[in-house]
Amino acid sequence: MNRALALILAILIGFAAVAIPTALQPRLLAGSVPDLICSVMLAPGTMVADLFLDRGTASPEFLPLSRLITFILFGGVTYGFLSIKKPTI
């Protein structure tokens, strides 16, 4: 796959993986299965962002930082999968 196309797809998939749970989570019933799925999808960025903040998860810059880190993680994994060369026979 072309590297530029793989990068664009990785950015779009990473953005969608963050934007959809972020938009849906406030509308879901707390403790429901869809709420759990959204929390699990956003958990990697939350765990990484928690390492870089002194004031914990209550600081105002925590939510944007955790969403950005989640976007970077999902985008990076997607780009890694898309850029793997398929063996030609």
Side-chain angles (χ1 to χ4, degrees):
M1 179 175 278
N2 187 2
R3 285 187 182 227
L5 180 61
L7 183 63
I8 290 170
L9 281 174
I11 290 171
L12 291 175
I13 291 173
F15 179 75
V18 173
I20 292 171
T22 300
L24 288 178
Q25 199 169 24
R27 293 168 179 77
L28 299 173
L29 180 66
S32 65
V33 173
D35 182 55
L36 176 68
I37 292 169
C38 289
S39 296
V40 167
M41 284 192 68
L42 297 173
T46 303
M47 290 187 295
V48 174
D50 195 32
L51 298 173
F52 297 106
L53 294 175
D54 295 337
R55 296 181 284 171
T57 59
S59 62
E61 67 271 2
F62 179 76
L63 189 63
L65 180 64
S66 69
R67 298 303 189 252
L68 176 67
I69 292 173
T70 305
F71 164 70
I72 291 170
L73 289 173
F74 276 114
V77 168
T78 304
Y79 182 74
F81 281 127
L82 291 175
S83 65
I84 293 174
K85 301 252 184 212
K86 294 181 183 175
T88 56
I89 298 173

